Amino acid sequence: RDGNRASEIITRLHALFTKKEVPTEFVDLKEATREVVALSSADLQRMQVVLREEWADDLPPVVGDRIQLQQVILNLLRNAVDAMSGVDDGPRQIVIKAEPDADGVRLSVQDVGVGVETQNIDKLFRAFYTTRRGGMGMGLSISRSIIERHHGRLWAEPNVGPGATFSFSIPCSPGQWMGRHVNPPND
């Protein structure tokens, strides 16, 4: 199963960078996110991270490539865990939240880690820019490309307290895609 998943990820990333059409479908972000959390549960336990989920009632499905969206969620979740690796003076907590917004659905991953400086936020999404020792600086750049390919946007904000929140918003109906002169989900 893991081998098949890795193969799908590579195929979808290849399609992203070669500008090939990727299959789209209606995706339940809650279900897709819970699959990512299940895959990450060992890392969350090892790092002593408490994960809280907040889901809006009747969250509409989004339009997109499930595998690529899960890659974005996984990257945001891993980054949040890494940002808290040095936190020893309080609980390590991540909140994953999804709610409707003006453009479709917004999913946010909030941590209580080292945070981001306002002047460096744009740099975070540049290829090869990293704040992690040993990091490659590709995850957020690829994630932003995926979300933009889904006609959405990805951004970061410092929290009022410790940590940062990374969010993305993507359309939830084929009509929103068609209004942007793209094809609706494949059947």
Side-chain angles (χ1 to χ4, degrees), residues 24-186:
T24 57
E25 61 187 316
F26 287 106
V27 179
D28 179 337
L29 268 184
K30 181 178 180 180
E31 179 184 301
T33 301
R34 286 191 166 160
E35 289 173 4
V36 169
V37 169
L39 287 171
S40 305
S41 63
D43 285 339
L44 295 171
Q45 288 175 356
R46 183 177 49 79
M47 295 297 293
Q48 300 175 339
V49 173
V50 175
L51 180 77
R52 193 173 85 232
E53 299 175 25
E54 296 179 7
W55 304 102
D57 294 333
D58 300 324
L59 193 65
V62 297
V63 177
D65 180 312
R66 181 184 193 87
I67 300 293
Q68 287 186 359
L69 293 174
Q70 286 181 315
Q71 280 304 115
V72 172
I73 297 164
L74 180 62
N75 184 60
L76 297 180
L77 185 58
R78 284 187 174 163
N79 286 351
V81 170
D82 288 346
M84 296 186 299
S85 64
V87 172
D88 294 324
D89 59 346
R92 296 176 180 169
Q93 182 173 314
I94 295 174
V95 177
I96 296 179
K97 179 179 179 180
E99 59 193 344
D101 75 357
D103 297 326
V105 174
R106 178 182 357 162
L107 185 135
S108 300
V109 178
Q110 180 181 36
D111 65 59
V112 292
V114 294
V116 295
E117 295 180 21
T118 306
Q119 67 269 22
N120 291 332
I121 287 177
D122 287 336
K123 291 180 188 176
L124 294 173
F125 297 98
R126 291 185 194 156
F128 306 113
Y129 179 83
T130 184
T131 58
R132 283 192 336 233
R133 190 174 143 175
M136 291 181 58
M138 294 301 295
L140 287 173
S141 175
I142 291 170
S143 293
R144 182 171 264 180
S145 294
I146 289 170
I147 295 301
E148 287 176 351
R149 185 94 185 261
H150 282 77
H151 305 281
R153 63 187 192 100
L154 170 64
W155 68 96
E157 303 170 297
N159 293 342
V160 173
T165 301
F166 285 77
S167 304
F168 68 83
S169 178
I170 58 175
C172 62
S173 76
Q176 288 174 293
W177 280 55
M178 287 188 265
R180 294 184 171 130
H181 305 290
V182 297
N183 296 324
N186 305 327

